[in-house]
Amino acid sequence: MSKWPIGVFASIDAGLGVRLEVARELGVSTVHLHTPHRQSRTRERAAEFLQRLKDLGIAVTVVFAGFEGESYADIPTVTRTVGLAPPSTREARTAELKEIADFARQLGVQAVGLHLGFVPHDRTSADYEDVLRITRDVCDYLQRNGQALHLETGQEPADVLLGFLQDVGRDNLFINFDPANMILYGCGEPIPALRTLGKYVRSVHCKDATWSDQPGKTWGAETPLGQGDVDFAAYLRTLAEIGYEGPLTIEREIPQEPQRQKAEIAAAVEVLESLKRLEHNLA
Ligand code: MG
């Protein structure tokens, strides 16, 4: 794979992102796949799906976990509903994550992405210990599958996330860096955060957003790429500095407006291609 192939966040029958046909029409050759419904995660469907990917000329580089009942409506709802962090669904979702990992393995995908949810802030609490325990359990399961776990950024400042990675202490635990999430959740400037987490970054999202007037309390707003507060020239320069050469995966979550979504992703491809050329000429 050449340096920085363009990617897009996609789904087949469930979850966020564009349909695969849209990726194909946009000439995008890699995707992060939001996990399909449980009933689709069978060996037969995996085989069918692999054939479809082959026909479309698309490679899945990360399978992103998603769970029933998750909602990104606002920050308090994310705290209550997203990822492995909410205690009431923790065990069931940990078990389901292993099923998702097995499905990813059937697709030949070596990375599973995850919004862990808000990590408990008190590092001495029993709840923090329990989140460490399940994260280690998941990492060890993935290790046996020959896979890595990529935690999505945004719900913690970079130094808190770094402390968590070190506390988990597993060498197949990495980061999916999303610069817009840092802004949306009010968790810090994305470029310094990328430097802090640099050696752990194994996949990235290219998403843009503007800051909230009450960072950390209310959402900022997601925008088309290039129209928000992420400096994408600096983003690519910093990715080059940290030695990241993997896909640049565009994420634009306006599934209710598929035409606009497709047009904005097409524009994002143009922005990234021209920044890639610039970066290539500087290098
Ligand atoms: Mg993302």
Side-chain angles (χ1 to χ4, degrees):
M1 205 180 273
S2 61
K3 182 179 174 180
W4 291 343
I6 302 292
V8 68
F9 203 86
S11 59
I12 27 178
D13 64 357
L16 303 168
V18 299
R19 289 177 306 111
L20 289 176
E21 288 69 21
V22 175
R24 154 77 177 246
E25 284 167 39
L26 293 169
V28 169
S29 59
T30 76
V31 298
H32 285 183
L33 182 76
H34 210 182
T35 189
H37 286 304
R38 181 175 247 150
Q39 59 268 29
S40 301
R41 297 194 300 256
T42 62
R43 200 169 280 281
E44 296 70 35
R45 290 300 300 274
E48 278 170 35
F49 183 53
L50 267 177
Q51 185 58 49
R52 204 171 137 211
L53 287 166
K54 203 172 159 208
D55 294 343
L56 292 166
I58 291 174
V60 178
T61 55
V62 182
V63 170
F64 260 81
F67 304 102
E68 291 281 335
E70 289 186 322
S71 167
Y72 292 86
D74 52 39
I75 292 177
T77 307
V78 171
T79 310
R80 263 198 339 271
T81 68
V82 169
L84 302 185
S88 64
T89 47
R90 190 174 292 163
E91 292 300 331
R93 285 182 176 177
T94 300
E96 188 175 358
L97 183 55
K98 294 174 183 175
E99 296 171 16
I100 291 169
D102 288 344
F103 178 74
R105 188 176 64 163
Q106 286 161 15
L107 297 177
V109 178
Q110 289 168 336
V112 176
L114 176 70
H115 269 282
L116 187 68
F118 283 89
V119 173
H121 284 177
D122 179 359
R123 284 169 85 175
T124 63
S125 69
D127 200 31
Y128 186 79
E129 271 304 318
D130 198 52
V131 173
L132 286 180
R133 175 186 66 80
I134 51 135
T135 309
R136 288 178 187 134
D137 178 37
V138 167
C139 286
D140 294 344
Y141 189 89
L142 265 61
Q143 185 75 271
R144 291 192 287 276
N145 268 355
Q147 294 169 316
L149 184 65
H150 294 191
L151 296 182
E152 175 99 355
T153 53
Q155 284 142 2
E156 283 75 34
D159 56 337
V160 175
L161 192 54
L162 188 63
F164 179 75
L165 294 179
Q166 288 163 348
D167 286 349
V168 174
R170 290 295 187 271
D171 58 14
N172 61 334
L173 180 61
F174 298 107
I175 293 290
N176 180 77
F177 193 86
D178 185 325
N181 283 352
M182 302 304 296
I183 291 173
L184 286 166
Y185 288 91
C187 278
E189 288 290 347
I191 304 301
L194 180 57
R195 287 205 184 92
T196 300
L197 294 166
K199 70 172 181 162
Y200 291 98
V201 173
R202 293 296 168 92
S203 56
V204 303
H205 287 161
C206 292
K207 188 171 84 188
D208 209 347
T210 52
W211 287 90
S212 159
D213 55 2
Q214 298 177 72
K217 290 203 171 62
T218 61
W219 284 121
E222 194 188 319
T223 70
L225 193 149
Q227 295 177 31
D229 292 327
V230 176
D231 178 345
F232 276 91
Y235 187 48
L236 265 62
R237 209 177 310 130
T238 310
L239 288 173
E241 269 169 39
I242 66 169
Y244 178 82
E245 299 192 345
L248 302 176
T249 305
I250 298 164
E251 189 182 11
R252 181 69 177 119
E253 300 303 354
I254 44 169
Q256 67 283 8
E257 295 177 81
Q259 286 309 319
R260 192 178 135 213
Q261 184 185 41
K262 186 177 165 187
E264 289 184 5
I265 292 170
V269 172
E270 291 300 311
V271 171
L272 292 175
E273 287 292 1
S274 73
L275 288 172
K276 274 170 65 175
R277 281 194 294 276
L278 201 65
E279 188 59 39
H280 182 76
N281 292 340
L282 290 176

